[in-house]
Amino acid sequence: MSTQIAPWIILFTPLAAAALILLLGRFSKSLSAALALASAFTGCALSWWLFKQPDAAQQFSLNWLSFGPDFTVSISFTIDKLSKVMLLVVTSISALVFTYSLGYMREEEGYSRFFGGLSLFLFSMLGIVLASNFVMMFMFWELVGVSSYILIGHYYSKDSAADAGKQAFIVNRIGDFGFMLGILLFWFATGTIVFQEIVEQVPNLTIAPIFLTVACVLVFMGTVGKSAQMPLHVWLPNSMEGPTPVSSLLHAATMVAAGVYMLARIFPILEVVPDAREIIAWVGGITCFAAALMATQQSDIKRILAYSTISQLGYMVLGIAVAPTSDVAMFHLFTHACFKCLLFLAAGSVMIAMHHEVEMWHMGGLRKKLPFTMLCFFLGMLALSGCPFTSGYYSKDLIIEWAVVKIPFLGWMVAGAAGLTAFYIFREFFVIFFGKARSEHAEHAKEQPFVMIVPMLILGVFAITAGWPSIQKNFFTLEYPEHVPHSLHTFLTAMFFGGVGLAALLYFKAAKDPISIPLFANRFYIDDFYYWMVNKIQGGGAAILSWADRWVVDMLVVQVPSKLTWAGGFALRFLQFGNIQAYAFMFGAGVVGLLYILLSK
């Protein structure tokens, strides 16, 4: 197969599947699932084949819109090492999640609609990965937002799910507005929207560093929204209202990964804008640490993982800012996709066994009921927490090393976040799988079918091995910092074992949470602040404007003049007698009155 044809097939096969499911899905649930799986596995197979082809960067283009001779928008693909690796992540994770969904959604409502939404979601993300210009990326960027709205609100009859879908859509529009302004600034300065052409012209833009910094920060706002960086992170935990396979795909390989991938795509631009990279570093570092703190006091098993994702995305954003190549951040995106997808799928297995219960304090003692699920959760947990010689250990520690060298305060802060990560994920593990069963559902839980277990076991292997040096060299060209403090790795090891030990001490057989920190449990009250802003400031302002519109504008500008006009017309109508003699008399009286006025002067 030609390398020019493969990207088109990879991109449009999920779209074709989504269209066919929309047309035919109502006739057969099995057909819907088969079409979705066929599209995912086709893309996965072709992505692996494409990855093995020569590394020379290639571009394939099809003109889409033309605005005069100087501006053309193309549907064009960039096939280079970065896009090849991302294609592998997206399609491989999707194939496993789609397979898992066969078991998870077997008794759920909207079966065909679900697989149609997943296929559209996959198509949208693949468009971002393959895009060679800002307009194509932004178009698919927005399509990802629409797809996530559909999937997060899958249980649309449930108010919380509908609200979560709307919140995700609206919050992302805030970040996307900044992204759009950044694109327009780059187009204004360079006359092009193609990444490679912008990169070639960047040296000419360095004479206006403030302009370049503003443009980069505005583009980064897209990442703040899509990759749930503070302060636009609030939508991601609430997106857990969607089915668990959606959460897994969204957190591991699609929507939230899009923001980091976009930064990697424009990395050559960011290299020459140090002020923008410093802003990006602080946003990523603060998000990483704050989200880890919030995760320590959550009790919803999926929300804990959601805050974990926010924290890990903070590491990736920080990696973009402090490392000399984008491969450092992409390496963590690669490993994170494996272990976070695994953790969500394991959480979904627990939820199915618990009849969709998500409160971990209603669980307990599940290690004997769900042995395969516990093993898979354990493997993903080790990688997430940075256990030595797991994938997360290699990728996360490399980002921390660069951060400590470049911005020491941030570096040591995110090193501390690594200890918090070990604490909150082992806390969740101990409460779910150890101790005594705390509910009837926990006492009668059963393991899931192999269609759900097998994808988890495959991901479990990847969660441990994906970061090993023998494997990473096939996907990335990594650079390691010099002069790393000798105490750093000792500190990170102490953080891991300290977090595990503290979690075991407090939660191994706990019947309730022995720690209560309202600031963390209430997510620093950021969600409450937004709720207050929307209801009091926006709602109060709307109420004031509504009052002014009704009693000032409507009354003084509309009602009073209209009433006076009506009253005048009503009075004048009494002068319309329909009698010629009366009209002649009034005319004469008027003439006499007019003469009197004139002569009296």
Side-chain angles (χ1 to χ4, degrees), residues 72-112:
T72 300
V73 178
S74 301
I75 301 297
S76 52
F77 304 149
T78 295
I79 305 299
D80 56 8
K81 188 175 182 181
L82 176 61
S83 60
K84 286 180 179 180
V85 170
M86 196 64 186
L87 281 176
L88 288 183
V89 172
V90 173
T91 57
S92 300
I93 294 297
S94 297
L96 293 171
V97 171
F98 280 35
T99 303
Y100 173 94
S101 299
L102 294 175
Y104 186 92
M105 297 297 293
R106 62 188 183 272
E107 297 179 0
E108 295 296 308
E109 61 184 41
Y111 189 87
S112 296

Side-chain angles (χ1 to χ4, degrees), residues 248-260:
S248 179
L249 192 60
L250 186 151
H251 285 247
T254 53
M255 185 171 179
V256 298
V260 177

Side-chain angles (χ1 to χ4, degrees), residues 168-192:
F169 189 82
I170 293 170
V171 171
N172 273 274
R173 298 295 73 73
I174 297 172
D176 293 352
F177 179 70
F179 186 20
M180 181 177 64
L181 291 179
I183 293 172
L184 292 174
L185 287 181
F186 275 116
W187 175 61
F188 173 77
T190 63
T192 182

Side-chain angles (χ1 to χ4, degrees), residues 13 15 81 133 135 137 187 217 230 237 381 386 428 449 530 537:
T13 300
L15 179 62
K81 188 175 182 181
N133 61 73
V135 170
M137 176 174 279
W187 175 61
V217 171
M230 294 182 74
M381 176 181 63
E428 182 177 11
Y530 285 154
I537 303 300

Side-chain angles (χ1 to χ4, degrees), residues 51 81-86 88-89 93 251-253 257 260-261 263-265 267 312-313 315-321 323-340 383-384 386-402 461-481 489:
F51 180 77
K81 188 175 182 181
L82 176 61
S83 60
K84 286 180 179 180
V85 170
M86 196 64 186
L88 288 183
V89 172
I93 294 297
H251 285 247
V260 177
Y261 175 79
L263 293 180
R265 177 55 69 194
F267 187 81
Q312 298 304 306
L313 289 167
Y315 277 115
M316 297 175 209
V317 170
L318 178 61
I320 288 288
T325 69
S326 61
D327 276 13
V328 173
M330 288 300 297
F331 180 33
H332 192 50
L333 186 153
F334 180 79
T335 61
H336 176 263
C338 297
F339 61 71
K340 185 54 61 66
L384 169 65
C387 177
F389 311 113
T390 61
S391 62
Y393 165 78
Y394 292 103
S395 60
K396 184 165 64 178
D397 284 17
L398 180 57
I399 293 174
I400 295 173
E401 289 175 6
W402 277 111
V461 175
F462 290 156
I464 299 300
T465 63
W468 287 358
S470 58
I471 295 177
Q472 66 181 245
K473 66 182 181 181
N474 295 317
F475 298 93
F476 305 100
T477 303
L478 301 174
E479 294 185 26
Y480 294 84
H489 287 287

